[in-house]
Amino acid sequence: MDFLKKLFGKGKDEPEELHLEFENLYEWSKTRYEREANSAKPLISDLYSAIDNKLDQLRVDKNSFLDTTPIESADMKMSKIADSNRDVIVDNLGILDEKITVPHDNSIGGAHAFYIESLSHMDSFLDNTRKSMLYAKSLYPAEYNKINGDLANLNHALSDLFSTIEGPWNKLEMISNIFEDIEDIHNLESEIIDCRNKIQELENKYTSLDENLQDAKSDLEKLINGSEYPRAEAINSEIDDVRQQVLDVEADLKRMFTPLSKALSRMKKQDENGIHTLSPQVRNILGIVMKDPVSALDYDLDPLYDELILRLQSDSLGLKDKKKDKTLEQVHLIKTSSSLNSLCEDKKKYDNRLEQSRDQLDRMDVYHQKTSMEKDISKKQEALVSTQDKLKDETKRLQSLKEQLENTKSKLSSDVNDAFEENIEINFR
């Protein structure tokens, strides 16, 4: 096909294709815009002169109308009606004359605005004088015909103006669309550059954060695999074991006092009710034993034991024989047996070991270091995720801007061909 074109040339009906660089399109379009705008100016000036003449004629009509009288057949009543409606028409002709002012600027845009405004003022005149014009037609036929004819002439002159500027006006509007498209493309290209720079910054930041995160994880791993951390773990494990031993001893101590709970409860109730009042010393020890037997071991419990034995032996607590005997037996066991003392010694021993181990662990900085490192890693991970999310958002935004740019370029190509009615190809950079 290309060979045939070279051999025979292009067909008569095949339009020449014009190639334009995007960078030159604005100036190229601006030149044609100015050419189009200037070409209509002489015609607009001529039409403005014609419109001025029509307005001058309407001024003459208005002044003549003021001095005229109704037809001879009109009686006095009809004459008054005629005068009133004549005044309405004259007043509105004056308003029309004030409103329709031919511009000094003969631009297409000014002419288009003038036409729209003038048409609106003409419609207002007709709306305001419709009834009065009907009276004038009957009572001032000659003057009516003159005014009506000159109004029609003014309307025709305005129509001629619009017919003259309609094509150029539409073309200038289409070229203006081209200017808007060019500006939109420049703005989108600028946004794309900014977006790409932002993406590059975020990628650099992500890389840096990721490297810092890996370094922090590596430091934590070195800490855990070092000599200090296993020792701390061993001490921590020992603390757990000793803590459990303490709990076991405390449970055994509480179990020793469990069989006394009913008797002790009745002693407290009788003391509160004033049946058998306890001494302040015994009352204080009783409250501690009932609340926490383990902590009560720091006190001298013999006064409580002695009081409890006396009350059990006197049957003042109201326990059944079997329960009373078991309670007495348990009180004597606690008071005389070495079991309680042994448990107390065990607890002290475990408490001491627990305190020593905790002190030893506190003196080791490795756990504090580990906690600090883990917090630092957590912050770095959050920053990394946040940066990744921003990177995704900017990447989506870049894709959207690219699509907008392609759509705007396509619109520009269409607007250029519509405006200039040529086969124009735009070479975008």
Side-chain angles (χ1 to χ4, degrees), residues 260-297:
L260 309 182
S261 59
K262 191 168 186 179
L264 295 174
S265 179
R266 289 197 177 183
M267 282 179 66
K268 182 180 180 184
K269 191 171 184 180
Q270 288 177 356
D271 178 57
E272 291 172 346
N273 294 334
I275 298 172
H276 290 284
T277 304
L278 300 172
S279 68
Q281 181 187 16
V282 174
R283 184 182 297 121
N284 182 52
I285 295 172
L286 173 62
I288 296 172
V289 169
M290 291 186 68
K291 185 178 181 181
D292 184 12
V294 177
S295 64
L297 297 176

Side-chain angles (χ1 to χ4, degrees), residues 184-197 401:
D184 289 342
I185 288 173
H186 284 146
N187 290 336
L188 285 167
E189 287 177 338
S190 178
E191 284 190 70
I192 287 173
I193 291 172
D194 291 342
C195 189
R196 281 175 173 157
N197 290 337
L401 289 172

Side-chain angles (χ1 to χ4, degrees), residues 303-317 328:
L304 176 63
Y305 298 151
D306 294 341
E307 180 71 22
L308 182 55
I309 291 170
L310 287 173
R311 299 283 289 277
L312 288 168
Q313 289 174 344
S314 64
D315 289 332
S316 65
L317 294 177
L328 274 170

